[in-house]
Amino acid sequence: MAATSRPSVEGAQDQEVESPDERPRVDQVACRGPAGLAAPRPDVAVSLRAVSKVYGRNGTTVRALNAVSIDFLRGSFTAVMGPSGSGKSTLLHCAAGLDRPTTGAVWLAGRDLARLSETDLTKLRRSRVGFIFQAFNLVSALTVRENIALPLRLARTRPDRRWLTEVVARVGLGERLRHRPAQLSGGEQQRVAIARALAVRPEVIFCDEPTGALDTRTAADVMTLLRQTVDVDGQTVVMVTHDPVAASYADRVVFLVDGVIAGDGLAPGVDEIAERLTHLGRRRAAGSFPAPVGVSAGEAPW
């Protein structure tokens, strides 16, 4: 199954890590720099600076992320992949403000999340972030219409009815607005989740395995909708996935292994993504995996 077309970078090859003083061109999808206190550039939607996350204590700790530094540009679609336990979901949770890193800094929508109280962080997520999960996370007692408008109600924001009408039409749910989640197929429920994420016009949409519970055809429909939000609306999407087909819809694929970035570049075809994922899994099992991208000077991301 072929992915829909996406913006191309003429003559793009594997990208080398630029020096901190170099400002990337607009057509570059990947950019990283050292940790620092200065706010990221205006074209960066999400920035992680030397982020580490450690779970546990007293000798039973697990380091889920190890000094990860990465930027996600506005209007880009990034897929984050890696073997199970590589830190993908932890990266997404820290980037989205769902979890706080042990060390390092996270900037989201121009805000340093470490400086926000839990109340302010909750308000930021409600008003500036959209979420799409594998399990849909719809409220079973609410109708489709009510589920889509729920983030606006929680944020006490007056709905833009023209925008909501456009979103509902785009996801094809105009005839299902009075239905409840139990009356919908899995694909329809995920389309409700996409509409709900778009309702607040978020800075970033974070997706955690959005096609994991869907059949192949329905998954393709969902990925086409996500791709459209980037191409038409200039939306920023960061997606964790195990699926090479889903990842092929992205502009960029980032690979994690044991909490470090092991690869980062323009999204290739499905077969190459699958081969890269398998290769990293084998190297991990053998105890030989790459140093984080941006640490070894001159290392090619692919």
Side-chain angles (χ1 to χ4, degrees), residues 21 107 115 204-205 253 299:
D21 296 328
W107 288 76
R115 298 179 179 272
V204 187
I205 295 178
V253 180
E299 179 183 7

Side-chain angles (χ1 to χ4, degrees), residues 103-164:
T103 58
V106 178
W107 288 76
L108 171 62
R111 307 288 297 277
D112 181 354
L113 300 191
R115 298 179 179 272
L116 300 183
S117 67
E118 289 299 327
T119 298
D120 289 339
L121 191 55
T122 298
K123 291 179 179 178
L124 180 71
R125 288 196 302 264
R126 285 176 180 171
S127 62
R128 309 298 290 277
V129 178
F131 294 100
I132 300 171
F133 299 99
Q134 177 177 341
F136 316 133
N137 287 16
L138 304 180
V139 180
S140 60
L142 301 182
T143 65
V144 167
R145 185 194 303 273
E146 292 165 340
N147 268 285
I148 292 173
L150 183 59
L152 298 168
R153 291 184 59 189
L154 292 175
R156 297 180 180 180
T157 301
R158 178 175 296 180
D160 181 340
R161 298 189 182 279
R162 180 177 297 180
W163 170 244
L164 291 182

Side-chain angles (χ1 to χ4, degrees), residues 19 63 125 138 204 208 225 256 279:
S19 70
R63 184 175 291 272
R125 288 196 302 264
L138 304 180
V204 187
D208 195 352
L225 282 171
L256 288 183
H279 176 67

Side-chain angles (χ1 to χ4, degrees), residues 9-269:
V9 179
E10 184 176 355
Q13 301 293 329
D14 296 340
Q15 298 176 353
E16 294 183 359
V17 178
E18 66 273 7
S19 70
D21 296 328
E22 291 179 292
R23 181 181 176 88
R25 300 186 312 271
V26 174
D27 64 348
Q28 286 180 311
V29 233
C31 58
R32 280 177 305 279
L37 297 178
R41 303 190 318 267
D43 61 342
V44 174
V46 188
S47 181
L48 281 70
R49 319 278 185 83
V51 167
S52 294
K53 181 64 182 180
V54 180
Y55 295 100
R57 59 182 62 184
N58 299 329
T60 58
T61 59
V62 174
R63 184 175 291 272
L65 292 177
N66 187 9
V68 171
S69 293
I70 188 168
D71 289 346
F72 300 98
L73 298 184
R74 297 185 187 278
S76 68
F77 190 164
T78 304
V80 180
M81 306 189 77
S84 296
S86 60
K88 303 184 300 296
S89 291
T90 302
L91 184 148
L92 184 144
H93 291 166
C94 288
L98 293 171
D99 200 358
R100 293 189 183 269
T102 305
T103 58
V106 178
W107 288 76
L108 171 62
R111 307 288 297 277
D112 181 354
L113 300 191
R115 298 179 179 272
L116 300 183
S117 67
E118 289 299 327
T119 298
D120 289 339
L121 191 55
T122 298
K123 291 179 179 178
L124 180 71
R125 288 196 302 264
R126 285 176 180 171
S127 62
R128 309 298 290 277
V129 178
F131 294 100
I132 300 171
F133 299 99
Q134 177 177 341
F136 316 133
N137 287 16
L138 304 180
V139 180
S140 60
L142 301 182
T143 65
V144 167
R145 185 194 303 273
E146 292 165 340
N147 268 285
I148 292 173
L150 183 59
L152 298 168
R153 291 184 59 189
L154 292 175
R156 297 180 180 180
T157 301
R158 178 175 296 180
D160 181 340
R161 298 189 182 279
R162 180 177 297 180
W163 170 244
L164 291 182
T165 299
E166 179 181 336
V167 167
V168 168
R170 189 179 297 178
V171 299
L173 291 170
E175 302 299 320
R176 311 288 273 172
L177 290 177
R178 296 185 179 182
H179 291 69
R180 287 183 166 76
Q183 299 172 293
L184 306 177
S185 68
E188 287 173 328
Q189 291 186 62
Q190 196 60 294
R191 282 188 277 153
V192 175
I194 292 173
R196 180 182 59 189
L198 288 171
V200 297
R201 297 181 184 266
E203 291 274 340
V204 187
I205 295 178
F206 292 99
C207 310
D208 195 352
E209 300 286 357
T211 62
L214 305 177
D215 61 74
T216 302
R217 181 174 179 178
T218 305
D221 292 340
V222 166
M223 293 310 305
T224 298
L225 282 171
L226 286 175
R227 181 71 247 177
Q228 186 182 49
T229 68
V230 178
D231 296 338
V232 176
D233 304 319
Q235 183 65 64
T236 306
V237 175
V238 179
M239 174 182 69
V240 165
T241 183
H242 283 92
D243 182 6
V245 176
S248 71
Y249 283 78
D251 305 311
R252 171 191 185 192
V253 180
V254 175
F255 290 96
L256 288 183
V257 175
D258 289 348
V260 300
I261 297 176
D264 184 352
L266 299 178

Side-chain angles (χ1 to χ4, degrees), residues 280-292:
L280 288 174
R282 288 173 179 167
R283 293 189 66 180
R284 182 194 193 197
S288 172
F289 29 83

